[in-house]
Amino acid sequence: MMNRKHIRNGLIGAALVLLAAAALAQGWDAPSLLPFKAEEVSEIEMYQYIVPAATQKKTVSGPDQIAQVCRRIAAASVQPRTDEQSYTGGETTIFRFHLQNESTFEISFTEPHFVRCTDGAVYQTPANLGGIWKAMDVPAESVPENELF
């Protein structure tokens, strides 16, 4: 009787190890939207609009806020897009990361879940990255359309 219990526990343990290994392996090949760490960011400007002339901007510069934005973007699962289809219209959210090395990196998120990065990468994601802008409790300000480009 004791032998069966040990065998059963061993099989359950082995199954859990295999499931954990499979989950880790799946994440290793997943593309990431951020080619840097939150600690390398000095400020993030977030823009949101449906019509570019009515753009609103939020700026975060505190380490905790920067880490929160980076964590949520890094957690988004993305799949590379191979077609050249682009989307216009709908809500657009732009994240402009100002890095400590004085470079910038941008992510543009447009409904329906279409992502384009400064480095030319294009992705589809089930995540609602626009929700990050809404969740940040910082004042929004109107900005001129030319600040977007």
Side-chain angles (χ1 to χ4, degrees):
M1 194 69 134
M2 196 64 143
N3 232 355
R4 288 183 186 170
K5 186 177 179 182
H6 287 300
I7 292 172
R8 180 182 53 134
N9 288 345
L11 289 173
I12 290 172
L16 290 174
V17 168
L18 287 174
L19 285 173
L24 284 173
Q26 187 176 23
W28 286 339
D29 291 336
S32 173
L33 289 174
L34 301 179
F36 49 82
K37 296 178 183 168
E39 297 80 29
E40 298 174 59
V41 179
S42 57
E43 181 179 82
I44 304 171
E45 294 172 323
M46 300 180 295
Y47 301 88
Q48 194 164 72
Y49 63 88
I50 294 175
V51 177
T55 299
Q56 294 284 300
K57 172 181 153 181
K58 291 183 177 182
T59 303
V60 296
S61 55
D64 292 340
Q65 291 176 324
I66 289 172
Q68 180 183 356
V69 171
C70 290
R71 201 171 29 255
R72 289 193 57 191
I73 290 174
S77 63
V78 294
Q79 295 297 317
R81 290 186 58 95
T82 55
D83 64 352
E84 292 299 317
Q85 181 180 7
S86 66
Y87 295 97
T88 57
E91 187 175 81
T92 298
T93 305
I94 298 171
F95 300 90
R96 183 174 294 153
F97 297 87
H98 294 272
L99 304 178
Q100 292 174 355
N101 68 5
E102 299 185 15
S103 66
T104 59
F105 185 82
E106 288 188 16
I107 295 173
S108 176
F109 172 77
T110 305
E111 293 290 349
H113 303 274
F114 179 72
V115 181
R116 185 176 303 274
C117 300
T118 300
D119 62 6
V122 181
Y123 301 99
Q124 186 79 27
T125 181
N128 179 8
L129 299 181
I132 298 170
W133 190 90
K134 292 175 179 82
M136 293 309 298
D137 189 22
V138 296
E141 60 182 279
S142 295
V143 296
E145 190 175 339
N146 65 355
E147 190 172 320
L148 294 174
F149 309 104

